[in-house]
Amino acid sequence: MTERQLIQEILNSEAVVYSFENVDEDSKEYTLLLTRQDKDVRPVEEINDEIKAYFQDAGFDYQEELNPAGDGDIRLVIKRN
């Protein structure tokens, strides 16, 4: 499984819509924008904590920005460590 597939597998397990904003395959760093699905009423912090745990278990460094300016609920910068 490639890193991109692993990222997609993790995010598909959560109720979020996501897009890759930046992909650097050489440094294995990815910037993603996540948005809650319409009927998801969980706080952004709860969603972030769940996703963060998955990525850390998979060996990724994880930096988040909650409620970034513009679209989306969470902006992630993840990198395989």
Side-chain angles (χ1 to χ4, degrees):
M1 177 179 294
T2 68
E3 286 186 347
R4 191 172 183 138
Q5 289 171 326
L6 177 57
I7 292 166
Q8 291 171 326
E9 184 75 23
I10 290 169
L11 294 175
N12 287 337
S13 71
E14 288 291 322
V16 294
V17 176
Y18 62 91
S19 62
F20 286 85
E21 286 189 322
N22 186 35
V23 174
D24 186 343
E25 298 282 349
D26 293 332
S27 70
K28 299 179 182 187
E29 183 174 292
Y30 305 86
T31 304
L32 301 111
L33 186 63
L34 284 63
T35 305
R36 286 180 286 187
Q37 291 184 0
D38 292 337
K39 296 182 182 185
D40 191 351
V41 296
R42 294 176 296 164
V44 173
E45 295 81 7
E46 181 180 329
I47 296 168
N48 181 62
D49 289 344
E50 290 176 12
I51 293 171
K52 186 176 193 174
Y54 285 125
F55 278 114
Q56 288 177 335
D57 286 348
F60 283 88
D61 291 331
Y62 185 98
Q63 296 176 345
E64 73 271 68
E65 178 185 356
L66 303 181
N67 302 308
D71 293 330
D73 294 312
I74 305 169
R75 177 171 285 116
L76 303 180
V77 178
I78 55 174
K79 183 174 182 176
R80 192 65 172 239
N81 54 23

